[in-house]
Amino acid sequence: VMRRGTKCFEDPSLIDARKQGAYQAIPGVASAEPLVIGFSDWHMANGAITHVGVALAFGAVVTAMVFALGHLSGAHINPAVTIAFWSVRRFPARAVVPYIAAQCAGALAASALSRVLLGNVGRMGATVPAPALGIHEGGAFVIEGLLSFVLMFVIMAVATDERIAEGFAAIAIGLTVGFCALVGGPFTGASMHP
């Protein structure tokens, strides 16, 4: 999540071309969530980890990625984050498409690597309704919309409010992702991407 007060995206002359290219590649690297999901699905299928463990893993990975990449690229792991920051004029319109393209490329690459390493395990990180639990397409869309709203609310609150102590955004975002995965995972996979 972009640090408050930073000017790196407002004035391209403040960073050189090498750094700008790296900033645009980082969202793709950070979008490796499907790889984590694939390994989690494999461990669940083999009884090595429970649903709670998967939720904790999601939260921990997101927390680590926000801490590690927040100061470099804003840690926009989810395209909804990029769109949300753009919608409140905290992210330049010219960077939205490259960021979302990098996020999608990173997610596809991670999904492909997960498939190669683990085979067709679980849902491969897909948002899939759980009809056995009474959740069909419409219900899954509503659940994912609510989970995404909660995540975006927390991200926008901790990343844009000057009163939030510096360094706490990653913790708040990671806890929210873990909670959403814990609550919504059994119903849809909790991708938080409606």
Side-chain angles (χ1 to χ4, degrees), residues 1-10 14 23 65-76 81 85 89-92 99 155-170 173:
V1 175
M2 191 170 17
R3 212 177 265 195
R4 290 182 297 279
T6 185
K7 301 282 186 196
C8 69
F9 292 112
E10 296 169 16
L14 295 177
Y23 288 154
M65 295 306 283
V66 173
F67 271 127
L69 301 174
H71 66 288
L72 297 174
S73 70
H76 295 198
V81 175
F85 274 93
R89 298 181 184 193
R90 292 207 175 239
F91 195 74
Y99 258 63
I155 290 172
M156 296 306 289
V158 300
T160 62
D161 191 333
E162 299 294 329
R163 297 169 293 180
I164 301 294
E166 187 125 352
F168 283 94
I173 294 165

Side-chain angles (χ1 to χ4, degrees), residues 94-124:
R94 72 184 184 291
V96 171
V97 171
Y99 258 63
I100 291 176
Q103 291 159 343
C104 291
L108 288 171
S111 291
L113 182 60
S114 182
R115 179 69 182 255
V116 167
L117 294 174
L118 304 171
N120 189 16
V121 176
R123 297 183 247 179
M124 295 300 296

Side-chain angles (χ1 to χ4, degrees), residues 109-147:
S111 291
L113 182 60
S114 182
R115 179 69 182 255
V116 167
L117 294 174
L118 304 171
N120 189 16
V121 176
R123 297 183 247 179
M124 295 300 296
T127 299
V128 180
L133 298 175
I135 306 297
H136 299 285
E137 285 81 8
F141 186 80
V142 169
I143 290 169
E144 286 292 323
L146 289 171
L147 296 174

